[in-house]
Amino acid sequence: MKNVLIIYPLWHPSNLAGVHRPRLIGNFLPEFGWHPIILTVKEAFFEEIPDLDFEKTFKDHFEVHRVNAIPLGKIRIFGDIGIRSFWQLYKGAKKIITENKIDFIWIPVPSYYPALLGRILNSKYKIPYGIDYIDPWVRDMKNYPNSGLRQRLALGIARILEPIAVKKASLISGVAKAYYQGVLDRNDKRAKKVDVAMPYGFDPNDHVLKLDVETPWSNEKDVIPYIYAGTFLPNSAPFFHKFFATIKKFRDMNQWNDHIKLYFIGTGLYPGKTIQELANDFDLSDVVIEKRDRLPFLNILYFLGQAQGVLAIGSPSPHYTASKIFQAILSKRPVFAFFHEKSTVVDILKECNADQFLMTYNDNDSDEDLDIRLERILRSYFLNEVNWNVKLECLEKYSARASAKVLVGGLNKVLGNSNV
């Protein structure tokens, strides 16, 4: 069995979104002849509240090595754990490499800065490496109108460091090709790199784990709960404006069921207005409940299954793909989705017969056309009887197991090209 060293500074009990990438892929790598060795940071240096149940979703074949990091301290200079642990990860990687035969090094980003370790370790040990894009490193900031000096400084640094990190990479991967196409376009095209795209996918075992927890609406009488679970990014705001404006119209026309409550869970902290503030602008403070703190992953899966319906709202970007769409479909609850028509989410929903309440956006759509279509879909979703019959078997090709197989195909191709 070949060994892949996965360098990612977060691991359980952190349940930040990025941790799911190496977890989901790594859960299935041994099926395809690869043993995952994880290099990460000790949990004492994590910022987030630990999710102790999260460990249940990790298979026991992971070989995990943890290193120290620079503590945050009272004055927050560098919060990014990839910066705080960079030197320690480098030393940890050297130790692992000297004690094991490592066939490949795979580094999911963000955090982006550990991507540089691939270049450094390749120079020293000649081990091929790849960078996996969970999110783009260099991004178009026009979608972040309220970004400040810190964000723009980070972008400037990214434009300098990314070419250094990827120059000697043998493989570039990502959750969708659009997430890393710019990397291939910006850098030396003569240096042929293997590239593979595979979604986060899902592990069906996650959905059979049971918890005894209360939902956010457990103490609400006669409530009809709908839930949106996940981060709220600033460039999604136009879709939320449309969404809330339509609900306000229903209320103004006395066509809204006052027992319906919309719960937005784990939306995070980003520049600009919060979802609650956007809802308040439309006089929906009694309809919308936002809880911005991240909640345990298994709790979220449970909440999705207990809700009346699940909301999946994306952004006007055509290459925005939401990994949470799999959890939404697997909840077996009706899904309202709002995405650009070219998003991969649209194809997934259609293939699974889960597009009954799909609202798509096109760059040439007029506001009037969008408003008319959105009103029709939301009226059917919230106010009419729903018949929901999805084909879960169609999701198999999007599973984490399928994604692991795609990645292994890329790894084996690299090793074949290198005559290793």
Side-chain angles (χ1 to χ4, degrees), residues 208-274:
V208 299
L209 295 169
K210 301 298 182 183
L211 296 181
D212 182 17
V213 295
E214 290 189 345
T215 66
W217 52 86
S218 291
N219 297 320
E220 297 288 336
K221 185 178 180 181
D222 298 327
V223 69
I224 303 174
Y226 291 79
I227 185 170
Y228 171 100
T231 55
F232 166 55
L233 299 175
N235 56 346
S236 298
F239 283 4
F240 281 88
H241 276 280
K242 292 285 187 187
F243 178 77
F244 290 141
T246 303
I247 293 174
K248 183 180 188 308
K249 183 175 181 179
F250 291 154
R251 295 191 80 186
D252 291 344
M253 297 170 64
N254 293 318
Q255 296 178 351
W256 181 256
N257 186 335
D258 288 333
H259 292 294
I260 293 176
K261 303 293 182 185
L262 309 178
Y263 292 83
F264 294 83
I265 309 296
T267 49
L269 304 172
Y270 287 90
K273 286 189 175 182
T274 65

Side-chain angles (χ1 to χ4, degrees), residues 257-303:
N257 186 335
D258 288 333
H259 292 294
I260 293 176
K261 303 293 182 185
L262 309 178
Y263 292 83
F264 294 83
I265 309 296
T267 49
L269 304 172
Y270 287 90
K273 286 189 175 182
T274 65
I275 284 179
Q276 190 72 63
E277 289 168 340
L278 290 175
N280 294 348
D281 290 343
F282 292 92
D283 298 321
L284 298 176
S285 59
D286 58 331
V287 174
V288 171
I289 300 96
E290 181 183 21
K291 297 181 183 298
R292 302 177 73 185
D293 292 339
R294 178 174 293 274
L295 296 181
F297 172 67
L298 292 176
N299 289 33
I300 293 296
L301 294 188
Y302 176 71
F303 298 163

Side-chain angles (χ1 to χ4, degrees), residues 10 88 110 159 182 226 253 260 267 344 358 398:
L10 293 172
Q88 292 90 338
R159 288 181 172 142
Y226 291 79
M253 297 170 64
I260 293 176
T267 49
T344 56
L358 170 63
Y398 300 108

